[in-house]
Amino acid sequence: MNSLKYLLVVCLLTSHFAAHCQDESGLTSLTRTRDFQVQERILLIIDQDFYLAGETINFFAVTLDAGLQIPIAFSSIMYVELYDQDNKVIASKKVLFKDGEAINSIDLPRDITTGHYYIRAYTNYMKNFGPSVFFTKRLKIVNPFVPYIATLADTLSRYEHQTVLQPPPYFGSSERLKISAQLSTTEANRGDSIILDIESHTADSVQYIVAMHLGDEHTSPSFPELNVYDQNGSPISRLTFLPEFTHDIVTGSIKATNSNVSVADKILYLAFVDSISWITRCKTDSLGRFTATMPIEYQREDLVISMVDTTNEFSILLENEFYPEFEELEKEDYFPEPSLKSIIEARMINLQVNDAYGNMKNTAVSAERPLLRFYGFPDNEYKINTYTDLPNLEEFVSEIVLEAFVRGRRSQVNILVKTEGNSTLNATPLVVFDGVPLFQANHLVPGISTEKLKSIQVVASRFFFGSEVYEGILDIVSNDNSFSLVEKDKNSVRINFCPVNTAPASRSFVNFRIPQYTSDLYFDTLRSAGEKATVKIALPQNAGSYTLSIFGYTRNGEMDYFVLPDLLYIK
């Protein structure tokens, strides 16, 4: 009896759902795009709101769901741009998220003028909703090195005739976390170390972002505002920009050069000029557009996009990854507050000291390079410098490389690979030079000196790459990895690419034999498992008053911001 009742309920539900789905409006109401939209937003925490041209903006970012107001790990890449009041981009960067968090920096050019600038951050997915949902924050930047501001007193005298923004309000606690902080001392000597104790009233683990910089209440960071989800906004019908979960997504199009008509079903290979080859393969759709997922760990600044079809002429266009539209801004002049005169002069000295000793500071952090190539591992590798000197590439292959042989002509060199399937010794291998595939054999010109080559790797078996089949792979690497010894193919384009930054610069003092003059004393994250956290901070060799700011948040969405101007004086 119970089984019969259960079957009857299932039948009724099924019939109701089927009848409901026959109604187009009912189906639409069940599958509205808005119901499934992730309301991803970025909260960007920077170390201060005031900078000199040539300094570094340190920032921490976390992705949030604006509807639920909790941190989420959704996108893997953040786009950061610094631009002026004319919406001209001054600097840009792509940064890797790890578990929804990222800490990095962006350098300010020396040649920008004094004024208000804006920094914005967004993900590829957020582009679907336009710049109104991007994180945007206004900054004050002074360039004391340019001619018109060389006399600082003249500039400061103009301050009296300008409407000045009031310093942001400062608060020591919120209703929830109630962050408090205390230094081991408020006065210290240059080169000493201090202890910073942080406490919050919560049982959850707290992620702190701690910043200390040379400045006062006019340079301290204001509490960042998060753009929330607009319930009255129009929903999107389809995702134009896909979420970047694990790869960097790039898009573009192909057109016939003569007719300017979009071309469908064309195979493209995307590769970076590099000693470690990794090729991404994609295909154009019916509109001539292509979408490629680029692995983050293999990215470089020199990208080559090549078409397998080299018979006709085509034009390849890669779309800009950074969003081209900006919100309208009301322009306004900025002149530094008179109280900033001594701070500007002190930070000018810091910049000049760092310029003088910059070549002695090895603080860059390089991400670990993967060794695996797109074809896996080769069957054999030949290091050029370990063999007897041979004058050129074709003689080295003929005499040394057992898995290949040369079928030469005067104008070009054909290198073939001895594979089991290449019985006629006529099938073409995939030739890769400095990470870039070559589909035109005549671009492998004769007479390439072995003194300019580093290694040759050979895959002596048939290789399937999508719908293409190659009889082996010949991977040639030059000493400078510049792809300068050969010409690129007919239907290929070489592009200056913006790679994803995977590691920030090191904040530690790595060389105690040189002066440590810093305007940003400390900027780093600190995770606490309970109520308290402690950090030890090494002090620089320049004097001045430093301001502390702490931002903290928990995984359940509780946040707090703590700012104390002029907390530490280094004498």
Side-chain angles (χ1 to χ4, degrees), residues 356-537:
Y357 293 91
N359 59 349
M360 298 178 64
K361 295 184 177 181
N362 299 318
T363 58
V365 177
S366 300
E368 185 176 351
R369 296 296 315 280
L371 300 178
L372 185 68
R373 291 160 170 80
F374 73 97
Y375 51 79
F377 293 99
D379 294 321
N380 209 343
E381 180 178 11
Y382 298 88
K383 301 285 188 180
I384 304 296
N385 59 4
T386 60
Y387 294 90
T388 304
D389 289 340
L390 293 170
N392 51 52
L393 172 63
E394 51 266 36
E395 289 199 29
F396 185 88
V397 172
S398 299
E399 299 293 334
I400 305 298
V401 181
L402 302 177
E403 299 86 358
F405 68 98
V406 177
R407 181 170 291 172
R409 302 176 184 175
R410 291 183 179 180
S411 59
Q412 68 183 52
V413 175
N414 289 336
I415 301 179
L416 303 179
V417 178
K418 303 174 184 177
T419 65
E420 183 178 348
N422 193 10
S423 57
T424 61
L425 300 181
N426 287 321
T428 304
L430 177 59
V431 178
V432 180
F433 202 100
D434 284 343
V436 179
L438 297 177
F439 301 110
Q440 292 179 280
N442 58 352
H443 286 175
L444 201 59
V445 295
I448 297 179
S449 174
T450 52
E451 294 181 354
K452 300 179 180 180
L453 299 179
K454 181 180 180 180
S455 66
I456 298 176
Q457 303 188 61
V458 183
V459 176
S461 59
R462 182 173 292 176
F463 182 75
F464 296 87
F465 203 13
S467 59
E468 296 82 57
V469 181
Y470 298 99
E471 292 298 336
I473 297 176
L474 200 70
D475 191 354
I476 307 171
V477 180
S478 67
N479 289 326
D480 56 6
N481 305 322
S482 63
F483 193 60
S484 59
L485 301 179
V486 295
E487 296 181 6
K488 63 182 181 66
D489 285 333
K490 176 181 179 181
N491 291 320
S492 65
V493 59
R494 194 166 181 172
I495 298 171
N496 186 20
F497 187 78
C498 180
V500 177
N501 192 283
T502 59
S506 174
R507 306 298 305 168
S508 60
F509 294 160
V510 296
N511 192 340
F512 292 97
R513 295 176 297 173
I514 61 176
Q516 302 294 339
Y517 276 59
T518 62
S519 299
D520 49 339
L521 176 59
Y522 187 86
F523 185 83
D524 209 345
T525 59
L526 182 65
R527 190 177 299 276
S528 171
E531 297 180 355
K532 299 182 179 181
T534 301
V535 60
K536 184 177 181 180
I537 302 175

Side-chain angles (χ1 to χ4, degrees), residues 11 34 37 44 139 177 230 267 360 431 465 493 501 522:
C11 292
R34 162 176 264 157
Q37 288 176 7
L44 197 71
L139 306 176
L177 295 185
D230 183 8
I267 307 298
M360 298 178 64
V431 178
F465 203 13
V493 59
N501 192 283
Y522 187 86

Side-chain angles (χ1 to χ4, degrees), residues 169-180:
Y170 300 102
F171 50 92
S173 64
S174 69
E175 294 293 332
R176 296 180 177 179
L177 295 185
K178 297 182 180 179
I179 295 178
S180 61

Side-chain angles (χ1 to χ4, degrees), residues 294-314:
M294 311 293 291
I296 295 174
E297 60 272 18
Y298 288 91
Q299 292 188 7
R300 290 294 179 267
E301 295 182 354
D302 201 352
L303 174 66
V304 178
I305 305 177
S306 307
M307 292 183 61
V308 177
D309 186 354
T310 59
T311 56
N312 302 309
E313 291 189 3
F314 301 97

